Amino acid sequence: MSQSIFCINPPKTFNKRTSLLPSSAFPSSSSSPSSLSTRMPTKYPMYPLEIVSYQQPPSLEILTRGGSRDEVLNSIRRALPNCLSETHLHETVPGLKSKTRGKVRDVYDAGDYLVLVTTDRQSAFDRILASIPFKGEVLNQTSLWWFDRTQHITPNAVVSAPDKNVTIAKKCCVFPVEFVVRGYITGSTDTSLWTVYNKGVRQYCGNVLHDGMVKNQKLPATILTPTTKASSHDIPVTPSEIIKLGLMTQAEYDEASRKALSLFEYGQRVAMEHGLLLVDTKYEFGKAHDGTILLIDEVHTPDSSRYWIAQSYEERFQNGLEPQNVDKEFLRLWFKEHCNPYEDEVLPDAPEELVCELAWRYLLLFETITNSRFEPPQEVEPIHDRISRNVSLALSSLQQ
């Protein structure tokens, strides 16, 4: 069937009753920021930023630009017991053959299609760290927004989105390579560009890195640092190794890499229009039955991408301060400060205040990028029951 996408379009008017972020989060240009207890970011990045630091950990910063923070955090806290951490659709939905559990998504085989359920699981360091309220919905809707708007660059595998947490996609042969694109030298994980550079590496994934760079510096040019997709840990790889290992043909790699760089350039342009810097991201591709290379998985979400606030970046960089971020980096830093997330068998529980802060940032990024309001679920129906019902109806329609 022809491909269609359930696009998340900005509404002409906001529904103040159902939107998670209150109307006070969208002040007039004459509004001025006040204290943390009464103000929170709006979705518009042109308002002045006020920086307030948590006492614990000192590396975490909160961005405030006006609006009631308490109302948002209360909504997030109420949702903590209802996070979607696991699904079992193969037990309730006819036609699903098997389930594959990824770090964040549960993927179900539905014959010619895959059913991808984005859960609220939070991963980093190849581990599950926590469950974040509303995360699954935000990631799924953010990806759909980007999938819809990047079709001029590359076709994608999306067929429909029957539920806020679900995307149904065309089944294709997935290339076992992640196309990681970077515009800045930063990061805290073992495979981050700053980590390897700080260890003295100057040849990385086929790229030459010059001496004298510092953390969070903009690279002279955007670079591609692919990794192999492994079940336990992604491994950096050069383009020539990808071809030599038979992971992709030269023609396939050339086409996918061109698309990845074009997607990143477009993503940076859109992000800048909304006051954000798209710092780095990753893309995945698959090959359809007719040989078409399709964009798959997710696009420019806060899980797959790093975003910084544009207007404060230069000043903070010059003063040796970490950029204001709207992603999960602060949670990664907390775990690195409190344990060895790669080697410790049992990890500490993520503090509730950090879980709520991350949920809030995901919502902020979604509203900033899409210029729309996030509307939390209003129904009493359990999330898993809702997803099962919607997926069953969608698959029945596709089979007709």
Side-chain angles (χ1 to χ4, degrees):
M1 62 178 291
S2 62
Q3 183 178 10
S4 62
I5 294 182
F6 280 51
C7 164
I8 311 300
N9 289 317
K12 294 181 180 178
T13 59
F14 296 130
N15 185 331
K16 296 181 180 179
R17 181 181 64 83
T18 58
S19 174
L20 181 61
L21 299 190
S23 57
S24 58
F26 300 87
S28 66
S29 58
S30 62
S31 299
S32 59
S34 59
S35 67
L36 172 65
S37 63
T38 59
R39 310 296 284 177
M40 64 161 285
T42 71
K43 66 176 181 178
Y44 297 109
M46 66 281 293
Y47 293 110
L49 285 162
E50 176 187 349
I51 309 304
V52 183
S53 296
Y54 272 125
Q55 293 298 314
Q56 201 174 32
S59 59
L60 177 58
E61 292 178 334
I62 306 169
L63 320 178
T64 62
R65 287 177 283 159
S68 171
R69 180 177 175 85
D70 288 343
E71 184 175 344
V72 178
L73 291 179
N74 286 337
S75 296
I76 291 171
R77 290 191 187 98
R78 286 195 298 269
L80 282 169
N82 299 316
C83 288
L84 184 67
S85 300
E86 197 72 42
T87 66
H88 306 281
L89 297 187
H90 55 304
E91 299 176 0
T92 58
V93 178
L96 295 183
K97 300 179 180 180
S98 63
K99 169 188 172 181
T100 302
R101 188 181 189 272
K103 295 174 184 175
V104 175
R105 289 170 180 79
D106 290 342
V107 182
Y108 295 89
D109 186 338
D112 293 332
Y113 307 99
L114 293 177
V115 177
L116 296 88
V117 183
T118 308
T119 72
D120 297 327
R121 297 192 295 263
Q122 180 64 54
S123 72
F125 311 106
D126 301 309
R127 307 280 291 272
I128 303 300
L129 304 182
S131 291
I132 311 297
F134 307 125
K135 177 191 171 183
E137 292 186 29
V138 168
L139 289 190
N140 195 51
Q141 293 181 47
T142 301
S143 272
L144 290 168
W145 190 90
W146 281 107
F147 275 128
D148 184 51
R149 284 156 178 79
T150 55
Q151 292 185 85
H152 65 289
I153 298 174
T154 177
N156 58 67
V158 176
V159 174
S160 68
D163 185 272
K164 296 175 182 179
N165 290 76
V166 178
T167 294
I168 296 180
K170 297 175 183 178
K171 185 180 288 186
C172 59
C173 181
V174 178
F175 295 117
V177 176
E178 289 191 352
F179 287 76
V180 183
V181 187
R182 305 179 188 272
Y184 296 76
I185 180 169
T186 190
S188 59
T189 64
D190 284 356
T191 56
S192 72
L193 192 57
W194 172 248
T195 299
V196 298
Y197 183 87
N198 201 34
K199 291 178 179 179
V201 174
R202 295 296 180 267
Q203 296 275 348
Y204 190 61
C205 300
N207 300 285
V208 177
L209 305 175
H210 300 292
D211 290 330
M213 289 193 290
V214 297
K215 188 181 182 185
N216 303 323
Q217 181 177 342
K218 183 176 175 60
L219 293 167
T222 299
I223 63 173
L224 188 60
T225 59
T227 66
T228 61
K229 283 177 60 63
S231 57
S232 58
H233 193 66
D234 296 339
I235 302 172
V237 64
T238 66
S240 60
E241 289 171 335
I242 290 173
I243 311 305
K244 184 177 180 180
L245 292 170
L247 304 180
M248 304 178 76
T249 66
Q250 186 68 58
E252 290 168 343
Y253 177 80
D254 290 344
E255 180 178 347
S257 60
R258 283 196 302 270
K259 290 180 174 181
L261 292 170
S262 295
L263 287 164
F264 189 70
E265 187 276 332
Y266 177 75
Q268 282 192 312
R269 181 151 36 93
V270 173
M272 180 59 75
E273 291 171 357
H274 294 84
L276 299 172
L277 297 176
L278 177 58
V279 177
D280 50 41
T281 193
K282 63 96 176 172
Y283 306 104
E284 296 187 39
F285 297 94
K287 196 168 188 176
H289 297 309
D290 63 1
T292 303
I293 293 182
L294 304 174
L295 180 64
I296 64 170
D297 195 48
E298 61 183 324
V299 191
H300 298 161
T301 72
D303 251 21
S304 65
S305 313
R306 196 187 314 268
Y307 287 92
W308 293 339
I309 302 296
Q311 73 176 43
S312 61
Y313 163 73
E314 189 61 38
E315 180 180 355
R316 296 181 68 79
F317 175 72
Q318 294 299 331
N319 291 324
L321 300 174
E322 284 294 308
Q324 295 174 297
N325 65 76
V326 195
D327 53 43
K328 62 183 179 182
E329 179 67 8
F330 74 88
L331 189 64
R332 282 192 288 243
L333 292 173
W334 186 89
F335 274 93
K336 289 199 73 172
E337 291 169 1
H338 291 81
C339 65
N340 184 332
Y342 286 111
E343 297 181 6
D344 290 355
E345 184 175 348
V346 179
L347 300 182
D349 291 335
E352 182 178 304
E353 63 176 319
L354 300 194
V355 169
C356 293
E357 171 68 18
L358 184 55
W360 175 76
R361 293 192 186 198
Y362 274 74
L363 294 170
L364 171 65
L365 184 62
F366 169 77
E367 295 203 345
T368 301
I369 289 293
T370 67
N371 197 33
S372 62
R373 296 289 297 269
F374 177 82
E375 297 184 0
Q378 299 296 310
E379 68 274 8
V380 180
E381 182 180 19
I383 299 175
H384 198 281
D385 291 350
R386 185 201 74 206
I387 292 175
S388 296
R389 173 172 48 80
N390 289 335
V391 170
S392 294
L393 291 172
L395 291 179
S396 296
S397 178
L398 287 172
Q399 293 166 0
Q400 291 178 356

